[in-house]
Amino acid sequence: MTGIAELEAQEARLTLPRFTYEDAWTLGTLLVGMARERKAPVAIDVRRGAQQLFHCALPGSSADNDAWIDRKRRVVERYGESSFLVGARFRAKGTTFEASSRLDPDRYAAHGGSFPIAVEGAGVIGSVTVSGLPQAEDHALVVEALERLLASYAGGTG
């Protein structure tokens, strides 16, 4: 299991210099390509504020994955941190998100897979979410895609 310090470091490291509509497309299609290579049965969602900029469901995913996306995304919107980090914080206190958050578990899920899109100087402006794999794998897929996106900016390809 990934530790809280590592999850916090990921979020600090993965602050983007910008996030445009084109960047949302790039991130979404990057995730689709990665998921297809791995034959991952996932659904993918990219949002800026309340606007859905990208959504794709791959073979093997279902409407349940869309519901999980919504529940994990609401955690990011409420806490401004990844859904995996929020869940880890509750577990570190010896409890669970479901038992202690006082939030409706039908609307909120602190399970890995939703990550804040943070922009330098603007803070959290959106989210990117994957659902369909075990939570640590959903989270890792999103982190890897954000790392690739960030590297593309540095390399001048973004």
Side-chain angles (χ1 to χ4, degrees), residues 29-135:
T29 56
L30 181 61
L31 278 162
V32 169
M34 293 165 60
R36 282 182 173 154
E37 285 173 11
R38 298 162 196 197
K39 296 180 177 36
V42 298
I44 298 159
D45 183 79
V46 180
R47 291 181 183 251
R48 182 176 180 134
Q51 186 179 21
Q52 183 180 54
L53 303 182
F54 185 95
H55 185 86
C56 181
L58 294 176
S61 66
S62 71
D64 283 346
N65 297 115
D66 293 330
W68 274 99
I69 282 172
D70 288 341
R71 292 170 60 218
K72 293 190 280 189
R73 174 185 46 80
R74 285 186 191 105
V75 169
V76 171
E77 291 170 351
R78 185 171 186 109
Y79 290 85
E81 297 178 321
S82 76
S83 53
F84 203 34
L85 175 57
V86 172
R89 288 190 196 284
F90 279 90
R91 288 187 298 277
K93 294 176 187 172
T95 186
T96 64
F97 177 82
E98 295 77 11
S100 298
S101 71
R102 300 176 56 103
L103 296 172
D104 182 351
D106 289 335
R107 294 190 43 82
Y108 294 88
H111 291 256
S114 191
F115 202 94
I117 295 173
V119 173
E120 293 169 10
V124 175
I125 57 96
S127 62
V128 52
T129 311
V130 168
S131 175
L133 302 170
Q135 66 171 330

